[in-house]
Amino acid sequence: MNILLVGSGGREHALAWKIAASPLVTRLVAAPGNPGMAAQAELRDVPATDVPALVELAREIAADLVVIGPESAVAAGLADAVTAAGFPCFGPTAQAGQLESSKAFTKAFCDRYGLPTSAYAVCESAEAARRALDRFEPPYVVKADGLAAGKGVVIAPTRAEAEAAIDDAFGGRFGAAGARVVLEEFLEGEIGSLFALCDGKDSMVFGWAQDHKRAFDGEQGPNTGGMGTYSPAPVFTPELVEQVRTRLVEPAFAGIAADGAPYRGALFVELMATAAGPKLVEFNVRFGDPECQVLMLRLESDLVPYLVACAQGRLAEMAPPKWRDESAVCVVVAAKGYPDKPSAGGEIRGADADFGPDVVVLHAGTKRDAGGVLRAAGGRVLNVCAVGPTLREARDKAYAAVDAIDFPDGFCRRDIGWRALR
Ligand code: GLY
């Protein structure tokens, strides 16, 4: 099979690593990919949102499957265009993608189809949002409505900070994504990330993990796209998984199909396990980043048949995936200043070393300069991942590799997995 994989982050490197291991694959092309992905895929310098050029690339390589990594490509209508051009595609249409591209859409969707989520207010102006704060208690949750690369969420302990976050969003900090703001009730409980696949009609749960959203140890600092993950996560008891499946996953797939946009691809349910059961925090219309990294390390089954089955409407023929019994951990190494102003261009040495069979170093935001030196080129730069018989052993291996990599401009959290290890 010839596969076109779209995207350039750690999630896509994890997908490339797993797809390339499949005996079904003869050619894997990544667009635009990253320097780490060059070990698994042929790289083509086509941006993930250049839809016409990606359709052309699918044609050129006679793609048997197009796999969409990032939400920006979903929102750009890539699945619609490659499907119209006759290529099987793993990834939802732009219409189904509204489950991520608009938080206001998703809240109304939850109301329409009875999915449990937090109370909210959609605000079209800073004045309206300031007034609406009266209906909430601190800490205030202020979200830009649109796609903001994981940076559009502020948890504000005080009203003054909430008002500043509102002014920031309406002041253009997130561009068009902040033209509308959603205020939400703060949910108490433990956070979790559960994944499900859907082929337009049938669906299956496809693993779970726990992310760490704050930038610094001890859940301090600003919200990020995610600083590290581990899987399995004990918060996901069989009972919770079943509740998430029946109360969130299945109603979401049924609802979006009833809206006229049957879902094909991975749905990422970010949820809070509250005393009243799971409540939706957000849907994302792709694998999580860095959740995908630990899922791919733990996935024993070949990934490719699942991706193809989603694209071809044959998921009902697939057995549930097999997972390794081990734990997997992913430590995100970010550039200093992330998420606000990550320092660019810092030199990275030793990321390509052989850390043994249990450690995988994935590239998330890197580039090679003209002299071949590896440098930071993004907020989240490397994903240092490891598996081990226990979470503690996996974590120790990951941190040993982190410590062996020389990246003076980087930082990471040192407490990934703390909830499970406490
Ligand atoms: N880890 C959160 C996300 O992928 O958005």
Side-chain angles (χ1 to χ4, degrees), residues 200-225:
K201 52 184 193 311
D202 293 300
S203 65
M204 70 167 62
V205 170
F206 204 75
W208 47 83
Q210 189 171 64
D211 193 7
H212 299 65
K213 302 290 285 183
R214 300 296 190 115
F216 309 128
D217 286 17
E219 304 312 322
Q220 301 297 310
N223 240 56
T224 70

Side-chain angles (χ1 to χ4, degrees), residues 11 71 100 149-150 193 195 211 213 224-227 229 268 270 282 284 286-291 380:
R11 165 186 46 222
E71 63 275 19
E100 177 165 7
S193 306
F195 297 85
D211 193 7
K213 302 290 285 183
T224 70
M227 292 300 292
T229 43
F268 162 8
E270 186 181 329
E282 277 178 27
N284 296 297
R286 32 84 189 172
F287 283 114
D289 186 349
E291 287 91 340
R380 294 184 292 176

Side-chain angles (χ1 to χ4, degrees), residues 278-337:
K279 290 197 180 183
L280 181 71
V281 175
E282 277 178 27
F283 283 128
N284 296 297
V285 295
R286 32 84 189 172
F287 283 114
D289 186 349
E291 287 91 340
C292 186
Q293 289 80 323
V294 287
L295 290 191
M296 292 306 114
L297 257 73
R298 285 196 58 232
L299 184 61
E300 199 173 301
S301 308
D302 187 345
L303 174 67
V304 172
Y306 290 92
L307 303 179
V308 172
C310 284
Q312 296 183 342
R314 292 193 295 98
L315 203 53
E317 297 168 21
M318 300 296 296
K322 288 205 179 80
W323 301 98
R324 293 170 65 162
D325 283 336
E326 287 103 324
S327 283
V329 171
C330 170
V331 177
V332 170
V333 182
K336 282 180 186 161

Side-chain angles (χ1 to χ4, degrees), residues 101-364:
S101 63
S102 169
K103 295 181 172 64
F105 171 88
T106 301
K107 286 295 194 183
F109 178 90
C110 289
D111 286 349
R112 210 158 58 243
Y113 294 111
L115 280 68
T117 187
S118 53
Y120 69 100
V122 177
C123 308
E124 307 282 346
S125 70
E127 296 68 38
R130 283 163 174 267
R131 276 196 308 276
L133 285 174
D134 291 344
R135 290 154 46 193
F136 297 88
E137 307 271 324
Y140 300 94
V141 182
V142 181
K143 295 185 172 179
D145 177 53
L147 298 180
K151 291 169 221 152
V153 177
V154 173
I155 317 281
T158 64
R159 186 157 180 142
E161 287 161 282
E163 289 180 351
I166 288 167
D167 291 345
D168 260 6
F170 284 107
R173 179 165 179 207
F174 308 110
R180 218 160 28 168
V181 156
V182 179
L183 304 181
E184 289 183 13
E185 167 200 15
F186 180 80
L187 291 174
E188 295 284 355
E190 191 166 335
I191 192 95
S193 306
L194 181 136
F195 297 85
L197 301 183
C198 187
D199 68 0
K201 52 184 193 311
D202 293 300
S203 65
M204 70 167 62
V205 170
F206 204 75
W208 47 83
Q210 189 171 64
D211 193 7
H212 299 65
K213 302 290 285 183
R214 300 296 190 115
F216 309 128
D217 286 17
E219 304 312 322
Q220 301 297 310
N223 240 56
T224 70
M227 292 300 292
T229 43
Y230 66 104
S231 177
V235 64
F236 283 104
T237 59
E239 185 192 14
L240 181 66
V241 171
E242 190 55 14
Q243 288 172 345
V244 178
R245 189 178 72 78
T246 54
R247 296 180 196 178
L248 290 168
V249 170
E250 291 187 347
F253 288 141
I256 203 75
D259 280 0
Y263 198 98
R264 273 185 204 90
L267 182 72
F268 162 8
V269 184
E270 186 181 329
L271 61 106
M272 195 65 78
T274 75
K279 290 197 180 183
L280 181 71
V281 175
E282 277 178 27
F283 283 128
N284 296 297
V285 295
R286 32 84 189 172
F287 283 114
D289 186 349
E291 287 91 340
C292 186
Q293 289 80 323
V294 287
L295 290 191
M296 292 306 114
L297 257 73
R298 285 196 58 232
L299 184 61
E300 199 173 301
S301 308
D302 187 345
L303 174 67
V304 172
Y306 290 92
L307 303 179
V308 172
C310 284
Q312 296 183 342
R314 292 193 295 98
L315 203 53
E317 297 168 21
M318 300 296 296
K322 288 205 179 80
W323 301 98
R324 293 170 65 162
D325 283 336
E326 287 103 324
S327 283
V329 171
C330 170
V331 177
V332 170
V333 182
K336 282 180 186 161
Y338 174 74
D340 293 326
K341 283 199 180 70
S343 77
E347 185 174 346
I348 305 158
R349 289 193 213 90
D352 300 332
D354 181 1
F355 296 104
D358 296 336
V359 175
V360 181
V361 178
L362 300 168
H363 291 220

Side-chain angles (χ1 to χ4, degrees), residues 48-52 70-81 94 147:
T49 51
D50 188 342
V51 172
E71 63 275 19
S72 57
V74 173
L78 181 57
D80 308 69
L147 298 180

